[in-house]
């Protein structure tokens, strides 16, 4: 096992008293727990995080980075230079899982060369249950952590010994979230951040592995969310997106908490917060009260992510989505009546077990009629342990899944080319996030990507932009 008591510290130039004074001053500035760990593990240790998947995973990775930096770790750009390598994994489709296992395999030679390097696999590949099978399959992984929970890693690096994962324990699992969340060095200038408000999911759509891997739905206490949003805005974050698998179910598991409409009203008051968004909504919980709250709160952006998944009623029933084609259409109509010009994004799965060409046509017509702003398209991928994988044959051939996928992609391209042209010559407020080559990249209230060429530093600025060019996926404009 690595001996962290001597590593790093041996590099310390102990004979130069000046450094010792700096060191003591630095130690003094750390919180108590960090101080202890810093002394135990020594300076100069580096971490590297590889992240795949949804916004929740990206948000979890930032927290892990923040926690490790609080313990004195520095970021390493490459796994080769790191003492701790964290893989934050996604398994929502086979392709995502393949990426994680591919990257993990590529670390094997590195681990052989440097056995004291710690490999930590976290996220949905691990899940909240027994990890013994994973240990067998990847014996060179030192520690596995469930989604949104770095406790096993933190224990491992502080005690540097193998530890059994704790039981899924409601109290313990999320206690790390209470602590202050200081943005990690690489993200000090973050403009748009994510804050989880609902962990896990209890809906159990038949195709979806998330409830099995992220556990049951748990809403986060409102005070904790408010504190975190406040702390992030104090650190310069301008836009926050609240996250949950079914975010509009916020508070349903806790009668003492506000609902999502109540929560966004409270968050809206936070000074310095310029924009608030939330995702992902489920049509059945997207209430008029919530839509009205979005309509009445100027800093909550008029953008909804409401997956339809399919357009045929029987397919929707087999997916166990809990609504019909007509009900989905009504949801879109309810949004548009209350907030004309609101943008609506959807998720679609093509080639679900048993989906016939006629049934797919219903999905095609749904998108053609509704002219939504974004459609995240996926080809059905059987996921181990789900109801669909166990009881329904994956009987739509791959080429047919691809054909349906491309038909929808082409349809969206036509719709958006036409729909976006109305923005030509218009002025729209853009919050700029980062510079990509020569252009600054930002988003307008309806979440459209806008690029502007500028020599000035636009990061974090909310500025009016006149749109000069529109395409199906982005706009180009100029500052006015
Ligand atoms: N909780 C959200 C999003 C879940 S995952 C929701 O309620 O919809 C993001 C998207 O991945 C899903 O919306 C779905 O379109 C897609 N997805 C989930 N499981 C899938 C599977 N087995 N095969 C293909 N796509 C899948």
């Amino acid at each position: 096992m690595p001996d962290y008591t001597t590593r790093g510290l041996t590099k310390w130039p102990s004979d130069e008293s000046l450094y010792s004074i700096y060191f003591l001053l630095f130690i003094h500035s750390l919180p108590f727990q960090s101080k202890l760990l810093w002394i135990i593990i020594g300076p100069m240790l580096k971490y590297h995080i590889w992240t795949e998947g949804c916004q929740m995973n990206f948000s979890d990775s930032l927290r892990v980075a923040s926690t490790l930096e609080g313990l004195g770790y520095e970021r390493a750009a490459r796994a080769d230079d790191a003492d701790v390598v964290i893989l934050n994994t996604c398994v929502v489709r086979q392709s995502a899982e393949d990426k994680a296992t591919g990257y993990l395999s590529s670390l094997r030679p590195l681990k052989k060369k440097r056995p004291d390097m710690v490999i930590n696999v976290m996220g949905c590949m691990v899940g909240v249950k027994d990890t013994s099978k994973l240990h067998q399959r990847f014996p060179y992984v030192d520690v596995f952590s469930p989604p949104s929970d770095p406790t096993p890693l933190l224990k491992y690096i502080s005690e540097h010994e193998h530890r059994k994962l704790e039981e899924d324990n409601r109290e313990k699992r999320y206690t790390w979230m209470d602590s202050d969340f200081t943005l990690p060095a690489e993200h000090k200038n973050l403009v748009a951040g994510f804050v989880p408000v609902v962990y896990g999911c209890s809906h159990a759509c038949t195709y979806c592995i998330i409830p099995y891997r992220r556990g049951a739905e748990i809403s986060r206490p409102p005070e904790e969310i408010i504190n975190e949003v406040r702390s992030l805005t104090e650190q310069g974050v301008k836009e926050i997106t609240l996250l949950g698998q079914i975010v509009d179910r916020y508070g349903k598991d806790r009668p003492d908490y506000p609902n999502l409409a109540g929560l966004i009203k409270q968050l809206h008051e936070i000074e310095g917060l310029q924009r608030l968004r939330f995702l992902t909504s489920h049509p059945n919980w997207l209430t008029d009260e919530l839509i009205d709250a979005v309509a009445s709160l100027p800093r909550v952006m008029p953008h909804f992510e409401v997956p339809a998944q399919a357009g045929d009623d029987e397919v929707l029933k087999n997916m166990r989505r809990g609504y019909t084609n007509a009900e989905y259409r009504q949801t879109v109509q309810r949004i548009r009546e209350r907030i004309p010009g609101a943008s609506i994004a959807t998720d679609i799965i093509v080639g679900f077990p048993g989906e016939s060409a006629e049934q797919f046509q219903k999905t095609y017509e749904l998108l053609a009629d509704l002219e939504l702003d974004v459609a995240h398209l996926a080809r059905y991928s059987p996921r181990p342990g789900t109801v669909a994988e166990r009881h329904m044959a994956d009987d739509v051939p791959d080429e047919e899944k691809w054909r349906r996928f491309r038909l929808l992609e082409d349809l969206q391209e036509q719709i958006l080319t036409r729909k976006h042209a109305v923005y030509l010559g218009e002025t729209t407020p853009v919050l700029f996030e980062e510079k990509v080559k020569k252009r600054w990249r930002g988003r307008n209230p309806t979440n459209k990507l806008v690029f502007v060429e500028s020599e000035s530093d636009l990061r974090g600025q909310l500025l009016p932009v006149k749109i000069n060019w529109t395409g199906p996926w982005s706009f180009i404009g100029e500052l006015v």
Side-chain angles (χ1 to χ4, degrees):
M1 289 320 303
D3 179 3
Y4 288 114
T5 49
T6 53
R7 277 185 72 210
L9 277 175
T10 53
K11 292 178 196 157
W12 195 257
S14 53
D15 49 350
E16 289 181 44
S17 55
L18 192 62
Y19 283 106
S20 309
I21 291 166
Y22 286 156
F23 178 65
L24 288 172
L25 281 175
F26 178 67
I27 290 277
H28 187 70
S29 72
L30 292 173
F32 177 68
Q33 280 160 331
S34 310
K35 236 178 259 180
L36 268 182
L37 268 148
W38 176 270
I39 291 163
I40 295 166
I41 62 182
M44 323 287 273
L45 291 173
K46 294 197 166 160
Y47 72 92
H48 176 79
I49 304 193
W50 176 95
T51 310
E52 178 63 31
C54 62
Q55 291 91 339
M56 190 74 99
N57 265 10
F58 280 88
S59 148
D60 290 344
S61 287
L62 279 194
R63 277 148 215 281
V64 175
S66 163
T67 309
L68 290 177
E69 289 186 11
L71 299 175
Y73 280 75
E74 281 173 27
R75 192 185 83 94
R78 301 170 336 132
D80 298 53
D81 305 324
D83 301 280
V84 179
V85 180
I86 301 129
L87 278 73
N88 199 354
T89 58
C90 170
V91 293
V92 77
R93 286 179 284 278
Q94 188 63 45
S95 52
E97 185 162 354
D98 291 345
K99 275 189 207 161
T101 47
Y103 185 60
L104 195 48
S105 309
S106 79
L107 289 178
R108 200 180 189 137
L110 193 62
K111 176 75 180 174
K112 216 167 174 182
K113 206 166 71 188
R114 291 203 288 120
D116 57 347
M117 178 180 89
V118 176
I119 299 185
N120 169 225
V121 176
M122 146 167 211
C124 286
M125 197 170 130
V126 180
V128 290
K129 298 208 180 95
D130 178 30
T131 56
S132 52
K133 280 212 185 96
L134 280 171
H135 275 290
Q136 278 167 19
R137 195 169 154 210
F138 302 105
Y140 55 101
V141 171
D142 300 282
V143 56
F144 292 96
S145 313
S148 305
D149 183 8
T151 322
L153 171 67
L154 298 178
K155 276 205 169 135
Y156 185 90
I157 59 176
S158 61
E159 297 167 16
H160 48 90
E161 63 177 27
H162 287 278
R163 270 280 177 127
K164 262 208 220 132
L165 276 187
E166 277 181 66
E167 294 290 297
D168 175 20
N169 175 317
R170 191 186 168 114
E171 253 78 53
K172 279 197 193 126
R173 221 176 116 204
Y174 300 113
T175 44
W176 74 301
M177 297 299 182
D178 296 340
S179 59
D180 287 340
F181 174 29
T182 310
L183 286 167
E186 197 201 355
H187 293 93
K188 278 280 175 275
N189 291 324
L190 193 75
V191 175
F194 298 105
V195 171
V197 300
V198 187
Y199 292 112
C201 184
S202 301
H203 193 72
C205 301
T206 55
Y207 52 82
C208 190
I209 196 168
I210 293 174
Y212 300 87
R213 298 300 171 92
R214 285 193 170 267
E217 178 180 86
I218 301 174
S219 297
R220 208 175 160 192
E223 319 78 65
E224 219 179 278
I225 298 165
I226 293 165
N227 284 342
E228 189 167 308
V229 172
R230 192 172 285 135
S231 147
L232 286 173
T233 51
E234 279 164 11
Q235 292 173 68
V237 175
K238 309 279 187 231
E239 174 179 307
I240 295 285
T241 300
L242 307 178
L243 299 179
Q245 294 302 332
I246 301 188
V247 72
D248 43 357
R249 276 188 57 81
Y250 177 76
K252 289 268 179 261
D253 56 324
R254 293 292 297 250
D256 50 330
Y257 291 179
N259 61 15
L260 188 61
L263 181 70
I264 62 173
K265 277 180 196 152
Q266 290 185 46
L267 294 172
H268 194 260
E269 300 307 310
I270 292 176
E271 208 181 313
L273 180 66
Q274 301 204 354
R275 286 180 169 182
L276 188 62
R277 303 179 189 271
F278 54 85
L279 60 85
T280 302
S281 297
H282 184 291
N284 292 13
W285 288 281
L286 195 56
T287 58
D288 291 347
E289 184 199 0
L290 179 58
I291 303 170
D292 287 338
V294 175
S296 69
L297 300 168
R299 287 187 294 281
V300 179
M301 295 296 103
H303 175 72
F304 296 84
E305 303 256 347
V306 210
Q309 309 295 7
D312 180 76
D313 286 349
E314 199 184 315
V315 174
L316 284 169
K317 200 167 155 215
N318 293 338
M319 288 178 160
R320 213 194 272 151
R321 283 295 290 177
Y323 52 82
T324 60
N325 177 311
E327 283 161 347
Y328 185 80
R329 287 171 189 258
Q330 279 158 19
T331 303
V332 170
Q333 203 184 336
R334 282 193 295 120
I335 296 172
R336 288 180 171 164
E337 270 167 11
R338 286 170 171 76
I339 313 179
S343 65
I344 300 173
T346 195
D347 294 5
I348 299 287
I349 298 175
V350 297
F352 184 79
E355 186 186 65
S356 67
E358 296 77 52
Q359 287 175 321
F360 166 71
Q361 192 57 30
K362 295 272 172 48
T363 303
Y364 189 93
E365 283 161 15
L366 185 75
L367 289 191
D369 293 346
L370 293 179
E371 304 200 329
L372 302 177
D373 296 83
V374 178
H376 304 289
L377 307 174
R379 288 159 294 124
Y380 170 70
S381 165
R383 301 285 66 216
T386 58
V387 173
E389 186 262 346
R390 284 183 287 129
H391 301 296
M392 305 175 198
D394 179 18
D395 54 2
V396 179
D398 214 35
E399 320 99 79
E400 179 58 15
K401 284 182 188 165
W402 269 116
R403 192 186 71 85
R404 293 177 192 179
F405 183 96
R406 296 213 178 91
L407 278 171
L408 295 184
E409 205 174 42
D410 291 348
L411 172 66
Q412 277 304 116
E413 190 171 340
Q414 289 167 33
I415 290 172
L416 292 173
T417 304
R418 190 162 13 94
K419 199 169 154 158
H420 286 169
V422 304
Y423 281 90
L424 266 180
E426 294 285 309
T427 297
T428 181
V430 174
L431 177 62
F432 290 97
E433 292 172 30
E434 61 177 353
K435 198 166 189 175
V436 189
K437 290 177 190 158
K438 271 171 26 200
R439 291 185 176 132
W440 282 93
R441 187 182 71 94
R443 289 181 185 274
N444 81 341
T446 50
N447 218 34
K448 306 289 177 188
L449 256 184
V450 182
F451 291 93
V452 166
E453 221 170 284
S454 170
E455 293 305 321
S456 336
D457 184 2
L458 302 185
R459 186 192 293 274
Q461 297 203 51
L462 182 58
L463 299 167
V465 172
K466 184 167 162 262
I467 303 300
N468 297 327
W469 177 88
T470 61
W473 322 119
S474 67
F475 302 167
I476 298 174
E478 61 184 297
L479 298 177
V480 291

